[in-house]
């Protein structure tokens, strides 16, 4: 039995969850609304303020979907209630970022500034020139936008220059030693 899948989800006050006949779950809360269609192999039952996910059989695909479905619904509920955010740091001399309308413009060591178009439903802020905060109600979209921004200049292991998550630890390497005998 999936340990995550058999956990019951408690719906907090102020959040409304609706399950349609075709397994489409709509979660509405103070921050917004999220809708997602789930597989018919998993039954989603709403009892008052509790949600339970049940699988029909012990087949491998059903077992795989069981925990995933429960985790996605829990993330939807947390997103519309509190929201998600990821913080990125820019490390390097002269590296900086700023918002210009709906675009994030970064100077990260290339001969030209890098412009990243921000998708709808995700908010990007630059509290300082070397910090970027990505926030929104969908954990999946927030993580995707943060990874797209980070992919432009991944941190290198010698000086640590690049774009990294604020909680990420870069394993540093020792450089060459000149004249060693």
């Amino acid at each position: 039995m999936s340990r995550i899948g058999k956990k019951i989800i408690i719906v907090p006050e102020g959040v409304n969850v609706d399950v349609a006949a075709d397994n489409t779950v709509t979660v509405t809360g103070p921050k917004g609304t999220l809708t997602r269609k789930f597989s018919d192999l998993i039954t989603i039952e709403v009892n008052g303020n509790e949600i339970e996910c049940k699988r029909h059989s012990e087949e491998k695909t059903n077992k795989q979907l069981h925990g995933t479905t429960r985790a996605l619904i829990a993330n939807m509920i947390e997103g519309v209630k509190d929201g998600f955010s990821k913080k990125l740091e820019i490390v390097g001399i002269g590296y900086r970022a700023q918002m210009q309308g709906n675009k994030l413009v970064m100077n990260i060591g290339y001969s030209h500034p890098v412009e990243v178009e921000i998708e709808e439903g995700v908010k990007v802020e630059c509290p300082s020139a070397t910090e970027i905060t990505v926030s929104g109600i969908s954990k999946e979209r927030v993580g995707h936008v943060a990874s797209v921004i980070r992919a432009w200049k991944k941190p290198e292991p010698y000086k640590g220059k690049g774009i990294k998550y604020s909680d990420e630890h870069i394993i540093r390497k020792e450089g060459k030693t000149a004249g060693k005998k």
Side-chain angles (χ1 to χ4, degrees), residues 53-121:
C53 298
K54 295 180 179 177
R55 61 179 182 230
H56 299 291
S57 69
E58 296 297 314
E59 290 181 26
K60 186 175 181 181
T61 53
N62 289 11
K63 288 180 178 181
Q64 292 169 343
L65 286 172
H66 192 202
T68 303
T69 302
R70 188 253 177 224
L72 289 172
I73 293 171
N75 284 340
M76 289 169 68
I77 291 170
E78 186 181 343
V80 297
K81 184 178 180 288
D82 301 322
F84 294 100
S85 71
K86 288 236 181 218
K87 294 183 180 181
L88 298 130
E89 295 175 356
I90 302 174
V91 179
I93 296 174
Y95 289 13
R96 62 185 181 276
Q98 62 184 11
M99 287 299 295
Q100 290 181 353
N102 195 29
K103 291 182 181 175
L104 176 68
V105 180
M106 300 181 290
N107 292 356
I108 47 177
Y110 296 120
S111 62
H112 60 296
V114 175
E115 295 182 355
V116 179
E117 190 79 32
I118 305 304
E119 64 182 60
E120 201 173 319

Side-chain angles (χ1 to χ4, degrees), residues 7-84:
K7 280 185 173 178
I8 293 175
I9 305 168
I10 305 295
V11 180
E13 200 68 34
V15 176
N16 185 23
V17 179
D18 295 321
V19 180
D22 63 341
N23 251 13
T24 302
V25 176
T26 304
V27 181
T28 308
K31 294 228 178 217
T33 303
L34 289 173
T35 303
R36 186 178 197 122
K37 178 158 176 27
F38 292 99
S39 173
D40 294 329
L41 300 173
I42 305 295
T43 303
I44 303 165
E45 295 178 358
V46 180
N47 301 324
N49 69 336
E50 294 181 348
I51 299 174
E52 190 174 4
C53 298
K54 295 180 179 177
R55 61 179 182 230
H56 299 291
S57 69
E58 296 297 314
E59 290 181 26
K60 186 175 181 181
T61 53
N62 289 11
K63 288 180 178 181
Q64 292 169 343
L65 286 172
H66 192 202
T68 303
T69 302
R70 188 253 177 224
L72 289 172
I73 293 171
N75 284 340
M76 289 169 68
I77 291 170
E78 186 181 343
V80 297
K81 184 178 180 288
D82 301 322
F84 294 100

